[in-house]
Amino acid sequence: MIHKSNLLIVVLSMLTLASCKKDPEKKLPTVIQPEIMDSIFSNRFEGVIPCPDCPGIETSLAIHADSTLNKTVYYQDKPEFPQQFSGTWKLKDSVFEANFDGSKEFYKIKKGSLLARVGSDRKEVIGKLAQDYLLERAQQIVLDSLSGTYVKGDSLSEPYQVLHLKHLKKDNFELKIVLTGKERTAEFSANGTYNKDNNQIEIPLKDAYPDLLGTLLIQFSKGKIHLTTKEKEHLEELKSFWDETFSIQGTYNKE
C-alpha cells in the first residue's frame, strides 16, 4: 500500500521530470554583444527600401543609446522633401521595435554593420527581395564632400538659381544662393551648422536677416540638396529675396 506522502512525492517527481523535458524546447533569449550595440549606436544605417509608386525610398536610420532614434526618408523622383521622424525603441532579442508616434517599425540586427527591416512578426523578407530591405552602416560623412555647386532649374529659368555650399571648419558651413534674371540679380547668404543626427544643415534665419523668422534646413539625398524650413509656417520667409511669388525653397541638383 502506498502512503499518501509517498504518492505525493511520486506525483511531484513526475511533474518535475515533465517540466525538465519542456525546458530544452524553450527558446533562449538572444544576447547581443556590447561591442555590436556600441557599433550600432555610433553609426547611421542607410538603404533604399522598395516603393510601390517610385524608384525607391532612401532611408537613413540612427539608433541612440538613450532609447531614442531618428529616421529620414526620401521618396525618389517625387516632388516632396525628405521627411524626418523621431521616436523611441525597445529591444527584444535581436529586433528593435521602433515607435514613431504610434507607428511601429521593426529592425533586426544582422551584425554590427547591417540591419534588416522586418515585419511585425519579426520575420525577414526572403527570396530575391531580401536584399532590398537591408540597411547598411553608412560611411562616415566627410563634411568637405558636401561642399559644391548646386543648381535649380536651368539657364532659361527666371530667375536662374545657383547655390554654393562651402564647409568652413568643424560643423560650420557657408551658404550662398545667387538668383539671376534678365534685368536683375539677388543674393542670399548665411552660415549654418551641420546636425549629424538628422544629416542636415540648420541655419537660424534671424542670424543673417534679423527681420526673418524660423530655421532654414538644408537636407541631403543622393546628388541633391533640399531647402525648406523647420516649421511650415515659416516657408513664406523664403520669398523675401526675389519677389513674393518666388521662393528659394526647393530641390537643387549637384553639378
Side-chain angles (χ1 to χ4, degrees):
M1 182 175 178
I2 300 177
H3 293 288
K4 290 184 177 179
S5 60
N6 291 336
L7 181 61
L8 180 61
I9 292 173
V10 171
V11 172
L12 290 174
S13 298
M14 292 174 65
L15 290 173
T16 302
L17 287 172
S19 64
C20 287
K21 288 180 181 179
K22 290 181 181 179
D23 281 347
E25 297 176 2
K26 291 182 179 179
K27 184 179 178 181
L28 297 176
T30 302
V31 178
I32 307 299
Q33 297 176 340
E35 54 267 31
I36 292 179
M37 297 302 292
D38 289 342
S39 175
I40 291 172
F41 295 148
S42 59
N43 289 280
R44 296 186 67 85
F45 292 81
E46 297 179 344
V48 181
I49 302 295
C51 174
D53 58 355
C54 73
I57 306 171
E58 293 181 27
T59 303
S60 178
L61 183 70
I63 300 174
H64 309 296
D66 63 356
S67 296
T68 64
L69 71 169
N70 301 91
K71 182 182 72 167
T72 302
V73 296
Y74 174 63
Y75 290 78
Q76 295 177 336
D77 291 353
K78 283 199 170 238
E80 301 174 359
F81 294 99
Q83 302 173 41
Q84 297 179 344
F85 304 90
S86 297
T88 59
W89 62 263
K90 58 183 178 180
L91 183 67
K92 183 177 180 181
D93 292 333
S94 61
V95 177
F96 288 103
E97 179 182 305
N99 190 326
F100 299 101
D101 290 330
S103 177
K104 293 184 178 181
E105 296 177 359
F106 302 87
Y107 298 89
K108 183 176 181 179
I109 301 172
K110 301 283 287 181
K111 52 186 177 180
S113 60
L114 191 66
L115 302 178
R117 175 78 183 269
V118 297
S120 57
D121 58 1
R122 292 169 169 75
K123 293 182 179 179
E124 295 182 55
V125 175
I126 59 175
K128 294 182 178 180
L129 293 178
Q131 293 292 322
D132 295 336
Y133 289 87
L134 298 179
L135 300 181
E136 298 181 345
R137 181 171 61 199
Q139 295 182 350
Q140 293 294 328
I141 293 178
V142 178
L143 296 184
D144 282 342
S145 69
L146 302 179
S147 298
T149 299
Y150 301 78
V151 297
K152 179 182 176 185
D154 55 43
S155 58
L156 299 179
S157 300
E158 177 72 23
Y160 178 50
Q161 294 173 258
V162 179
L163 183 153
H164 303 282
L165 187 63
K166 181 179 180 181
H167 179 220
L168 301 176
K169 58 181 180 179
K170 295 185 178 180
D171 294 334
N172 299 314
F173 279 82
E174 176 186 75
L175 170 68
K176 182 180 293 185
I177 303 174
V178 179
L179 304 92
T180 304
K182 293 180 180 179
E183 299 180 357
R184 64 189 178 102
T185 62
E187 183 177 296
F188 169 90
S189 59
N191 289 354
T193 304
Y194 178 76
N195 180 334
K196 66 178 182 179
D197 287 339
N198 291 316
N199 186 31
Q200 65 186 18
I201 296 171
E202 300 174 357
I203 301 174
L205 288 170
K206 68 178 181 180
D207 288 355
Y209 301 89
D211 294 334
L212 300 185
L213 301 174
T215 300
L216 176 67
L217 301 181
I218 303 177
Q219 302 171 319
F220 298 90
S221 61
K222 293 183 178 180
K224 302 179 181 186
I225 60 174
H226 313 269
L227 266 64
T228 186
T229 54
K230 191 171 185 179
E231 304 293 341
K232 289 184 179 180
E233 60 263 31
H234 295 142
L235 283 174
E236 292 297 314
E237 305 290 334
L238 303 184
K239 293 182 177 180
S240 305
F241 306 97
W242 189 260
D243 58 41
E244 294 302 316
T245 62
F246 184 83
S247 175
I248 61 172
Q249 176 195 24
T251 295
Y252 296 71
N253 296 302
K254 192 169 187 178
E255 285 193 325

